[in-house]
Amino acid sequence: MNQLRLSRRAAMQAILLGTAAPWVLSSKALAASCDDRIVRIGTIGAPDSMNPFATWGAFWPLVFSYDFLVGVDAQRHPDRKGFAKEWSVDDDGLTWTFKIWPGMKWSDGQPATARDVAFTYNYLRDSMGKPDELNVGMNSTSGLENVESITALDDESLRIVTKTPTRWPIDNYLAIVPEHIWKNISYADARSAFRNDPPLVGTGPMIVAEFQQGQFVRFVPNQYFRAGQPALAGMIVYLFSAADTLAQGLKSGDLDYGVYLTAAQWADLSKNPDIVVGQARCEQRNYLAFNTVSGEGAGSTEALQDPAFRDAIGYAIDQKAIVDRAFRGHADPGVGLVMPAATDYYSDLSDIKRHFDLEEAAQRLDAAGYRDTNGDGVREDKQGNSFQLELVTGTLSNLIEIPIAAVQLLAGWLGQLGIPVSVTQLDAGALDARTRAPADGGGGWDLLIAANWLSPSPPDLLALGNSADHNNRAYWKNDKFDELSSEVGLTADLKKSQELVDQAVRLIYAEAPYIVLCYPLQLEAHRKDCFEGWGTNDAVSQWGYFPTDRLKPVPAP
């Protein structure tokens, strides 16, 4: 039983558990000082399960327990490798060979081999086309349709043969799971009922040992981690719905690291001598989406389906003002689908880029047939109905919070155009449900301000416009765009990939199912008094386990 101590950390834990009585706590997450060597992290998120086949909401923190075969971090940083130690591709661009770390073990002591990788991928692949296809979570069948075979040549060698050249074998972010745990889990259970309750069995440096939904995830160090057991005694990731309590915890010392801070909190924390703040570009893009579907799930007016209407609205949005006023400069102004962090593919589209001009927007609306014919200050659509659009908004799980000021700015500009907007603000779960595909019960809204954060791989960069991708919240469908998206997924050559992405980005920019508002910077902070070994611009990676494999307590003075 835990000692009854009314410390600052205990009080914070009480807040997290929804009570002001910390002495009633019995959780192992309760602790008091630097001396326990437990690092405490605060984030905004709402994971609902530890099952990577059933949810997207647990990407962070599952990256601390499960490895990807390669993934984003291993390609950006030579000291952050995943399940594979090294890899190569034949000249034909079809046959990939991966060398797995020799002697690697799962956290339960069982051998972790190439056979586990082959099992994970084939488990997904063999579900394709079946009623319970595994296509609903972060471990999804997407991309496997282009794979010819996946074979473990021996314990330390894996071969993947693709049907056409593609970077999927190294770009995918599928969590490698242990065959001895998952081999008897049915597809139906894997995509829904099986929660994968802790303790997990993984190869990452920190293993999920306890999960209290809506409160925290507790980790213990993996004694079998390939680089040696981490110096930490444990880690707790506290789950917040907003950043206020997170910032307070950093100042009081109840948290060692916090991410998804607001600009005001970041500025305040930057003045604290015990805290180091950082900011870094990331793959998040904040956007305005139009409900472009007709029929089931359609919005209140057919104007939303008209590219001329959407393009005109684009001239009424001042991305620089959003950055300066809503994000206090901690963002890049939005342009196209590709964010500046994806350096190989980013373009500022200077030759076709819209400019902010309310008069220009009004003239374009007039020319497109959306006028105020009765002089009441409100425009009508082509059916003669006055505009009254519903804008839904919120921040989905594991994303940087969208300031309400950005929503207010946009609603104000549209109001000046004679298009009144009512705002419906939703929590992460309700927003996800409301904006799912109409076939899954979503739709019925007009405008959406939201965000997503996917990898910098070409298929993910184009996911917002792909009609087969669940990230396409605008419900937009364009055959040419889908062809480009499909082709880029089957291309390994960088130059060709860049050309295809550029074509697709220009196409969707002209059609305007989305107006990209900005690319927010990831604002974070960590304390200096308990642990050392944090990163620089990104103190904690959002794509892998770094730096939990190398954090260590600050030596006593």
Side-chain angles (χ1 to χ4, degrees), residues 133-166:
E133 181 175 345
L134 298 174
N135 56 7
V136 296
M138 60 180 266
N139 272 17
S140 168
T141 55
S142 177
L144 282 161
E145 66 277 359
N146 188 45
V147 174
E148 184 68 40
S149 64
I150 303 157
T151 308
L153 304 177
D154 55 43
D155 283 356
E156 297 175 12
S157 303
L158 179 81
R159 183 176 64 206
I160 297 178
V161 180
T162 61
K163 298 174 183 177
T164 59
T166 173

PDB file of all heavy atoms in Angstrom, residues 133-166:
ATOM      1  N   GLU A 133     -11.390  -7.918 -42.003  1.00  0.00           N
ATOM      2  CA  GLU A 133     -10.091  -7.403 -42.436  1.00  0.00           C
ATOM      3  C   GLU A 133      -9.553  -6.411 -41.411  1.00  0.00           C
ATOM      4  O   GLU A 133     -10.289  -5.570 -40.872  1.00  0.00           O
ATOM      5  CB  GLU A 133     -10.213  -6.722 -43.794  1.00  0.00           C
ATOM      6  CG  GLU A 133      -8.878  -6.173 -44.304  1.00  0.00           C
ATOM      7  CD  GLU A 133      -8.960  -5.598 -45.703  1.00  0.00           C
ATOM      8  OE1 GLU A 133      -9.959  -5.869 -46.416  1.00  0.00           O
ATOM      9  OE2 GLU A 133      -8.028  -4.882 -46.112  1.00  0.00           O
ATOM     10  N   LEU A 134      -8.262  -6.505 -41.157  1.00  0.00           N
ATOM     11  CA  LEU A 134      -7.628  -5.652 -40.157  1.00  0.00           C
ATOM     12  C   LEU A 134      -7.249  -4.313 -40.791  1.00  0.00           C
ATOM     13  O   LEU A 134      -6.114  -4.084 -41.181  1.00  0.00           O
ATOM     14  CB  LEU A 134      -6.395  -6.358 -39.590  1.00  0.00           C
ATOM     15  CG  LEU A 134      -6.690  -7.681 -38.871  1.00  0.00           C
ATOM     16  CD1 LEU A 134      -5.406  -8.388 -38.463  1.00  0.00           C
ATOM     17  CD2 LEU A 134      -7.587  -7.453 -37.653  1.00  0.00           C
ATOM     18  N   ASN A 135      -8.216  -3.425 -40.864  1.00  0.00           N
ATOM     19  CA  ASN A 135      -8.020  -2.138 -41.540  1.00  0.00           C
ATOM     20  C   ASN A 135      -8.547  -0.965 -40.727  1.00  0.00           C
ATOM     21  O   ASN A 135      -8.882   0.070 -41.285  1.00  0.00           O
ATOM     22  CB  ASN A 135      -8.693  -2.155 -42.911  1.00  0.00           C
ATOM     23  CG  ASN A 135     -10.174  -2.494 -42.847  1.00  0.00           C
ATOM     24  OD1 ASN A 135     -10.751  -2.598 -41.762  1.00  0.00           O
ATOM     25  ND2 ASN A 135     -10.801  -2.664 -43.996  1.00  0.00           N
ATOM     26  N   VAL A 136      -8.619  -1.128 -39.403  1.00  0.00           N
ATOM     27  CA  VAL A 136      -9.225  -0.080 -38.577  1.00  0.00           C
ATOM     28  C   VAL A 136      -8.251   0.577 -37.605  1.00  0.00           C
ATOM     29  O   VAL A 136      -8.591   1.586 -36.992  1.00  0.00           O
ATOM     30  CB  VAL A 136     -10.435  -0.637 -37.786  1.00  0.00           C
ATOM     31  CG1 VAL A 136     -11.536  -1.079 -38.721  1.00  0.00           C
ATOM     32  CG2 VAL A 136     -10.016  -1.789 -36.871  1.00  0.00           C
ATOM     33  N   GLY A 137      -7.055   0.032 -37.432  1.00  0.00           N
ATOM     34  CA  GLY A 137      -6.126   0.578 -36.456  1.00  0.00           C
ATOM     35  C   GLY A 137      -4.816   1.004 -37.080  1.00  0.00           C
ATOM     36  O   GLY A 137      -4.660   1.013 -38.303  1.00  0.00           O
ATOM     37  N   MET A 138      -3.843   1.362 -36.236  1.00  0.00           N
ATOM     38  CA  MET A 138      -2.544   1.766 -36.757  1.00  0.00           C
ATOM     39  C   MET A 138      -1.854   0.600 -37.456  1.00  0.00           C
ATOM     40  O   MET A 138      -1.104   0.787 -38.402  1.00  0.00           O
ATOM     41  CB  MET A 138      -1.668   2.353 -35.650  1.00  0.00           C
ATOM     42  CG  MET A 138      -1.355   1.428 -34.499  1.00  0.00           C
ATOM     43  SD  MET A 138      -0.315   2.205 -33.225  1.00  0.00           S
ATOM     44  CE  MET A 138       1.323   1.695 -33.774  1.00  0.00           C
ATOM     45  N   ASN A 139      -2.082  -0.631 -36.992  1.00  0.00           N
ATOM     46  CA  ASN A 139      -1.646  -1.823 -37.717  1.00  0.00           C
ATOM     47  C   ASN A 139      -2.741  -2.184 -38.704  1.00  0.00           C
ATOM     48  O   ASN A 139      -3.735  -2.824 -38.357  1.00  0.00           O
ATOM     49  CB  ASN A 139      -1.368  -2.981 -36.762  1.00  0.00           C
ATOM     50  CG  ASN A 139       0.055  -2.971 -36.244  1.00  0.00           C
ATOM     51  OD1 ASN A 139       0.749  -1.959 -36.330  1.00  0.00           O
ATOM     52  ND2 ASN A 139       0.512  -4.092 -35.711  1.00  0.00           N
ATOM     53  N   SER A 140      -2.569  -1.747 -39.949  1.00  0.00           N
ATOM     54  CA  SER A 140      -3.613  -1.837 -40.958  1.00  0.00           C
ATOM     55  C   SER A 140      -3.070  -2.493 -42.222  1.00  0.00           C
ATOM     56  O   SER A 140      -1.862  -2.499 -42.479  1.00  0.00           O
ATOM     57  CB  SER A 140      -4.147  -0.440 -41.274  1.00  0.00           C
ATOM     58  OG  SER A 140      -4.966  -0.438 -42.419  1.00  0.00           O
ATOM     59  N   THR A 141      -3.988  -3.018 -43.029  1.00  0.00           N
ATOM     60  CA  THR A 141      -3.610  -3.679 -44.283  1.00  0.00           C
ATOM     61  C   THR A 141      -3.189  -2.696 -45.368  1.00  0.00           C
ATOM     62  O   THR A 141      -2.693  -3.126 -46.415  1.00  0.00           O
ATOM     63  CB  THR A 141      -4.785  -4.517 -44.810  1.00  0.00           C
ATOM     64  OG1 THR A 141      -5.947  -3.668 -44.921  1.00  0.00           O
ATOM     65  CG2 THR A 141      -5.107  -5.670 -43.871  1.00  0.00           C
ATOM     66  N   SER A 142      -3.372  -1.407 -45.174  1.00  0.00           N
ATOM     67  CA  SER A 142      -3.047  -0.426 -46.196  1.00  0.00           C
ATOM     68  C   SER A 142      -1.591  -0.557 -46.638  1.00  0.00           C
ATOM     69  O   SER A 142      -0.669  -0.533 -45.819  1.00  0.00           O
ATOM     70  CB  SER A 142      -3.296   0.990 -45.668  1.00  0.00           C
ATOM     71  OG  SER A 142      -2.932   1.961 -46.618  1.00  0.00           O
ATOM     72  N   GLY A 143      -1.373  -0.696 -47.930  1.00  0.00           N
ATOM     73  CA  GLY A 143      -0.040  -0.836 -48.493  1.00  0.00           C
ATOM     74  C   GLY A 143       0.359  -2.266 -48.780  1.00  0.00           C
ATOM     75  O   GLY A 143       1.214  -2.533 -49.624  1.00  0.00           O
ATOM     76  N   LEU A 144      -0.267  -3.211 -48.091  1.00  0.00           N
ATOM     77  CA  LEU A 144       0.089  -4.616 -48.268  1.00  0.00           C
ATOM     78  C   LEU A 144      -0.444  -5.206 -49.565  1.00  0.00           C
ATOM     79  O   LEU A 144      -0.021  -6.291 -49.972  1.00  0.00           O
ATOM     80  CB  LEU A 144      -0.417  -5.436 -47.075  1.00  0.00           C
ATOM     81  CG  LEU A 144       0.446  -5.323 -45.815  1.00  0.00           C
ATOM     82  CD1 LEU A 144      -0.332  -5.764 -44.582  1.00  0.00           C
ATOM     83  CD2 LEU A 144       1.719  -6.145 -45.950  1.00  0.00           C
ATOM     84  N   GLU A 145      -1.360  -4.502 -50.221  1.00  0.00           N
ATOM     85  CA  GLU A 145      -1.887  -5.007 -51.488  1.00  0.00           C
ATOM     86  C   GLU A 145      -0.804  -5.062 -52.565  1.00  0.00           C
ATOM     87  O   GLU A 145      -0.939  -5.781 -53.552  1.00  0.00           O
ATOM     88  CB  GLU A 145      -3.059  -4.143 -51.962  1.00  0.00           C
ATOM     89  CG  GLU A 145      -2.714  -2.713 -52.330  1.00  0.00           C
ATOM     90  CD  GLU A 145      -2.638  -1.769 -51.147  1.00  0.00           C
ATOM     91  OE1 GLU A 145      -2.883  -2.228 -49.998  1.00  0.00           O
ATOM     92  OE2 GLU A 145      -2.334  -0.579 -51.355  1.00  0.00           O
ATOM     93  N   ASN A 146       0.282  -4.347 -52.353  1.00  0.00           N
ATOM     94  CA  ASN A 146       1.363  -4.336 -53.340  1.00  0.00           C
ATOM     95  C   ASN A 146       2.512  -5.263 -52.945  1.00  0.00           C
ATOM     96  O   ASN A 146       3.577  -5.224 -53.545  1.00  0.00           O
ATOM     97  CB  ASN A 146       1.903  -2.910 -53.521  1.00  0.00           C
ATOM     98  CG  ASN A 146       2.883  -2.796 -54.669  1.00  0.00           C
ATOM     99  OD1 ASN A 146       2.638  -3.320 -55.753  1.00  0.00           O
ATOM    100  ND2 ASN A 146       3.999  -2.119 -54.424  1.00  0.00           N
ATOM    101  N   VAL A 147       2.303  -6.093 -51.939  1.00  0.00           N
ATOM    102  CA  VAL A 147       3.348  -7.004 -51.478  1.00  0.00           C
ATOM    103  C   VAL A 147       3.125  -8.395 -52.057  1.00  0.00           C
ATOM    104  O   VAL A 147       2.027  -8.956 -51.955  1.00  0.00           O
ATOM    105  CB  VAL A 147       3.380  -7.058 -49.938  1.00  0.00           C
ATOM    106  CG1 VAL A 147       4.359  -8.124 -49.456  1.00  0.00           C
ATOM    107  CG2 VAL A 147       3.761  -5.692 -49.371  1.00  0.00           C
ATOM    108  N   GLU A 148       4.158  -8.930 -52.660  1.00  0.00           N
ATOM    109  CA  GLU A 148       4.095 -10.268 -53.248  1.00  0.00           C
ATOM    110  C   GLU A 148       4.342 -11.352 -52.214  1.00  0.00           C
ATOM    111  O   GLU A 148       3.644 -12.359 -52.150  1.00  0.00           O
ATOM    112  CB  GLU A 148       5.133 -10.393 -54.375  1.00  0.00           C
ATOM    113  CG  GLU A 148       5.091 -11.713 -55.138  1.00  0.00           C
ATOM    114  CD  GLU A 148       3.828 -11.864 -55.952  1.00  0.00           C
ATOM    115  OE1 GLU A 148       3.378 -10.867 -56.556  1.00  0.00           O
ATOM    116  OE2 GLU A 148       3.263 -12.981 -55.976  1.00  0.00           O
ATOM    117  N   SER A 149       5.353 -11.151 -51.367  1.00  0.00           N
ATOM    118  CA  SER A 149       5.668 -12.164 -50.360  1.00  0.00           C
ATOM    119  C   SER A 149       6.472 -11.553 -49.221  1.00  0.00           C
ATOM    120  O   SER A 149       7.181 -10.550 -49.401  1.00  0.00           O
ATOM    121  CB  SER A 149       6.454 -13.324 -50.976  1.00  0.00           C
ATOM    122  OG  SER A 149       7.710 -12.886 -51.462  1.00  0.00           O
ATOM    123  N   ILE A 150       6.356 -12.152 -48.045  1.00  0.00           N
ATOM    124  CA  ILE A 150       7.101 -11.751 -46.854  1.00  0.00           C
ATOM    125  C   ILE A 150       7.621 -13.039 -46.230  1.00  0.00           C
ATOM    126  O   ILE A 150       6.833 -13.889 -45.806  1.00  0.00           O
ATOM    127  CB  ILE A 150       6.212 -11.000 -45.849  1.00  0.00           C
ATOM    128  CG1 ILE A 150       5.583  -9.765 -46.511  1.00  0.00           C
ATOM    129  CG2 ILE A 150       7.013 -10.595 -44.622  1.00  0.00           C
ATOM    130  CD1 ILE A 150       4.331  -9.285 -45.833  1.00  0.00           C
ATOM    131  N   THR A 151       8.939 -13.186 -46.163  1.00  0.00           N
ATOM    132  CA  THR A 151       9.515 -14.463 -45.764  1.00  0.00           C
ATOM    133  C   THR A 151      10.648 -14.263 -44.775  1.00  0.00           C
ATOM    134  O   THR A 151      11.553 -13.433 -44.998  1.00  0.00           O
ATOM    135  CB  THR A 151      10.072 -15.215 -46.992  1.00  0.00           C
ATOM    136  OG1 THR A 151       9.067 -15.286 -48.001  1.00  0.00           O
ATOM    137  CG2 THR A 151      10.526 -16.616 -46.607  1.00  0.00           C
ATOM    138  N   ALA A 152      10.605 -15.005 -43.674  1.00  0.00           N
ATOM    139  CA  ALA A 152      11.738 -15.058 -42.749  1.00  0.00           C
ATOM    140  C   ALA A 152      12.711 -16.108 -43.268  1.00  0.00           C
ATOM    141  O   ALA A 152      12.412 -17.303 -43.280  1.00  0.00           O
ATOM    142  CB  ALA A 152      11.258 -15.403 -41.353  1.00  0.00           C
ATOM    143  N   LEU A 153      13.881 -15.682 -43.738  1.00  0.00           N
ATOM    144  CA  LEU A 153      14.885 -16.604 -44.279  1.00  0.00           C
ATOM    145  C   LEU A 153      15.559 -17.378 -43.162  1.00  0.00           C
ATOM    146  O   LEU A 153      15.931 -18.538 -43.329  1.00  0.00           O
ATOM    147  CB  LEU A 153      15.917 -15.830 -45.097  1.00  0.00           C
ATOM    148  CG  LEU A 153      15.350 -14.974 -46.239  1.00  0.00           C
ATOM    149  CD1 LEU A 153      16.469 -14.199 -46.924  1.00  0.00           C
ATOM    150  CD2 LEU A 153      14.602 -15.840 -47.239  1.00  0.00           C
ATOM    151  N   ASP A 154      15.732 -16.724 -42.032  1.00  0.00           N
ATOM    152  CA  ASP A 154      16.212 -17.347 -40.795  1.00  0.00           C
ATOM    153  C   ASP A 154      15.847 -16.378 -39.673  1.00  0.00           C
ATOM    154  O   ASP A 154      15.129 -15.397 -39.899  1.00  0.00           O
ATOM    155  CB  ASP A 154      17.710 -17.654 -40.846  1.00  0.00           C
ATOM    156  CG  ASP A 154      18.566 -16.428 -41.184  1.00  0.00           C
ATOM    157  OD1 ASP A 154      18.293 -15.341 -40.636  1.00  0.00           O
ATOM    158  OD2 ASP A 154      19.493 -16.556 -41.999  1.00  0.00           O
ATOM    159  N   ASP A 155      16.351 -16.623 -38.478  1.00  0.00           N
ATOM    160  CA  ASP A 155      15.965 -15.769 -37.351  1.00  0.00           C
ATOM    161  C   ASP A 155      16.386 -14.311 -37.532  1.00  0.00           C
ATOM    162  O   ASP A 155      15.747 -13.402 -36.986  1.00  0.00           O
ATOM    163  CB  ASP A 155      16.570 -16.307 -36.058  1.00  0.00           C
ATOM    164  CG  ASP A 155      15.819 -17.518 -35.533  1.00  0.00           C
ATOM    165  OD1 ASP A 155      14.790 -17.886 -36.132  1.00  0.00           O
ATOM    166  OD2 ASP A 155      16.277 -18.108 -34.527  1.00  0.00           O
ATOM    167  N   GLU A 156      17.438 -14.079 -38.304  1.00  0.00           N
ATOM    168  CA  GLU A 156      17.975 -12.726 -38.413  1.00  0.00           C
ATOM    169  C   GLU A 156      17.826 -12.119 -39.798  1.00  0.00           C
ATOM    170  O   GLU A 156      18.344 -11.024 -40.046  1.00  0.00           O
ATOM    171  CB  GLU A 156      19.460 -12.741 -38.024  1.00  0.00           C
ATOM    172  CG  GLU A 156      19.683 -13.149 -36.571  1.00  0.00           C
ATOM    173  CD  GLU A 156      21.159 -13.272 -36.224  1.00  0.00           C
ATOM    174  OE1 GLU A 156      21.999 -12.823 -37.041  1.00  0.00           O
ATOM    175  OE2 GLU A 156      21.472 -13.811 -35.150  1.00  0.00           O
ATOM    176  N   SER A 157      17.114 -12.781 -40.715  1.00  0.00           N
ATOM    177  CA  SER A 157      17.002 -12.281 -42.082  1.00  0.00           C
ATOM    178  C   SER A 157      15.554 -12.326 -42.557  1.00  0.00           C
ATOM    179  O   SER A 157      14.891 -13.367 -42.432  1.00  0.00           O
ATOM    180  CB  SER A 157      17.878 -13.100 -43.041  1.00  0.00           C
ATOM    181  OG  SER A 157      19.221 -13.084 -42.634  1.00  0.00           O
ATOM    182  N   LEU A 158      15.096 -11.208 -43.101  1.00  0.00           N
ATOM    183  CA  LEU A 158      13.736 -11.095 -43.617  1.00  0.00           C
ATOM    184  C   LEU A 158      13.803 -10.610 -45.057  1.00  0.00           C
ATOM    185  O   LEU A 158      14.579  -9.707 -45.384  1.00  0.00           O
ATOM    186  CB  LEU A 158      12.927 -10.102 -42.778  1.00  0.00           C
ATOM    187  CG  LEU A 158      11.478  -9.863 -43.223  1.00  0.00           C
ATOM    188  CD1 LEU A 158      10.585 -10.979 -42.706  1.00  0.00           C
ATOM    189  CD2 LEU A 158      10.969  -8.510 -42.734  1.00  0.00           C
ATOM    190  N   ARG A 159      12.954 -11.189 -45.910  1.00  0.00           N
ATOM    191  CA  ARG A 159      12.871 -10.740 -47.294  1.00  0.00           C
ATOM    192  C   ARG A 159      11.441 -10.334 -47.609  1.00  0.00           C
ATOM    193  O   ARG A 159      10.502 -11.079 -47.329  1.00  0.00           O
ATOM    194  CB  ARG A 159      13.321 -11.841 -48.258  1.00  0.00           C
ATOM    195  CG  ARG A 159      13.318 -11.399 -49.740  1.00  0.00           C
ATOM    196  CD  ARG A 159      13.860 -12.503 -50.632  1.00  0.00           C
ATOM    197  NE  ARG A 159      13.006 -13.679 -50.581  1.00  0.00           N
ATOM    198  CZ  ARG A 159      13.428 -14.933 -50.818  1.00  0.00           C
ATOM    199  NH1 ARG A 159      14.698 -15.158 -51.107  1.00  0.00           N
ATOM    200  NH2 ARG A 159      12.589 -15.946 -50.749  1.00  0.00           N
ATOM    201  N   ILE A 160      11.299  -9.150 -48.171  1.00  0.00           N
ATOM    202  CA  ILE A 160      10.001  -8.671 -48.643  1.00  0.00           C
ATOM    203  C   ILE A 160      10.114  -8.429 -50.136  1.00  0.00           C
ATOM    204  O   ILE A 160      11.012  -7.698 -50.585  1.00  0.00           O
ATOM    205  CB  ILE A 160       9.570  -7.372 -47.927  1.00  0.00           C
ATOM    206  CG1 ILE A 160       9.397  -7.614 -46.420  1.00  0.00           C
ATOM    207  CG2 ILE A 160       8.272  -6.830 -48.526  1.00  0.00           C
ATOM    208  CD1 ILE A 160       9.023  -6.366 -45.637  1.00  0.00           C
ATOM    209  N   VAL A 161       9.221  -9.048 -50.903  1.00  0.00           N
ATOM    210  CA  VAL A 161       9.181  -8.853 -52.347  1.00  0.00           C
ATOM    211  C   VAL A 161       7.886  -8.136 -52.683  1.00  0.00           C
ATOM    212  O   VAL A 161       6.800  -8.571 -52.286  1.00  0.00           O
ATOM    213  CB  VAL A 161       9.258 -10.199 -53.103  1.00  0.00           C
ATOM    214  CG1 VAL A 161       9.214  -9.960 -54.617  1.00  0.00           C
ATOM    215  CG2 VAL A 161      10.521 -10.960 -52.723  1.00  0.00           C
ATOM    216  N   THR A 162       7.998  -7.013 -53.391  1.00  0.00           N
ATOM    217  CA  THR A 162       6.824  -6.236 -53.768  1.00  0.00           C
ATOM    218  C   THR A 162       6.502  -6.443 -55.244  1.00  0.00           C
ATOM    219  O   THR A 162       7.361  -6.860 -56.029  1.00  0.00           O
ATOM    220  CB  THR A 162       7.034  -4.747 -53.475  1.00  0.00           C
ATOM    221  OG1 THR A 162       8.141  -4.263 -54.240  1.00  0.00           O
ATOM    222  CG2 THR A 162       7.311  -4.519 -51.996  1.00  0.00           C
ATOM    223  N   LYS A 163       5.274  -6.141 -55.609  1.00  0.00           N
ATOM    224  CA  LYS A 163       4.831  -6.347 -56.989  1.00  0.00           C
ATOM    225  C   LYS A 163       5.387  -5.278 -57.924  1.00  0.00           C
ATOM    226  O   LYS A 163       5.648  -5.548 -59.092  1.00  0.00           O
ATOM    227  CB  LYS A 163       3.304  -6.363 -57.034  1.00  0.00           C
ATOM    228  CG  LYS A 163       2.687  -7.499 -56.225  1.00  0.00           C
ATOM    229  CD  LYS A 163       1.163  -7.397 -56.177  1.00  0.00           C
ATOM    230  CE  LYS A 163       0.566  -8.489 -55.300  1.00  0.00           C
ATOM    231  NZ  LYS A 163      -0.913  -8.367 -55.179  1.00  0.00           N
ATOM    232  N   THR A 164       5.517  -4.086 -57.422  1.00  0.00           N
ATOM    233  CA  THR A 164       6.130  -2.984 -58.155  1.00  0.00           C
ATOM    234  C   THR A 164       7.024  -2.223 -57.181  1.00  0.00           C
ATOM    235  O   THR A 164       6.876  -2.358 -55.962  1.00  0.00           O
ATOM    236  CB  THR A 164       5.078  -2.022 -58.733  1.00  0.00           C
ATOM    237  OG1 THR A 164       4.292  -1.501 -57.651  1.00  0.00           O
ATOM    238  CG2 THR A 164       4.159  -2.731 -59.723  1.00  0.00           C
ATOM    239  N   PRO A 165       7.959  -1.417 -57.667  1.00  0.00           N
ATOM    240  CA  PRO A 165       8.832  -0.672 -56.746  1.00  0.00           C
ATOM    241  C   PRO A 165       8.025   0.220 -55.799  1.00  0.00           C
ATOM    242  O   PRO A 165       7.103   0.926 -56.216  1.00  0.00           O
ATOM    243  CB  PRO A 165       9.695   0.162 -57.697  1.00  0.00           C
ATOM    244  CG  PRO A 165       9.723  -0.611 -58.971  1.00  0.00           C
ATOM    245  CD  PRO A 165       8.345  -1.214 -59.084  1.00  0.00           C
ATOM    246  N   THR A 166       8.366   0.198 -54.542  1.00  0.00           N
ATOM    247  CA  THR A 166       7.687   0.997 -53.535  1.00  0.00           C
ATOM    248  C   THR A 166       8.576   1.117 -52.312  1.00  0.00           C
ATOM    249  O   THR A 166       9.388   0.227 -52.026  1.00  0.00           O
ATOM    250  CB  THR A 166       6.338   0.375 -53.132  1.00  0.00           C
ATOM    251  OG1 THR A 166       5.779   1.111 -52.031  1.00  0.00           O
ATOM    252  CG2 THR A 166       6.504  -1.079 -52.701  1.00  0.00           C
TER     253      THR A 166
END
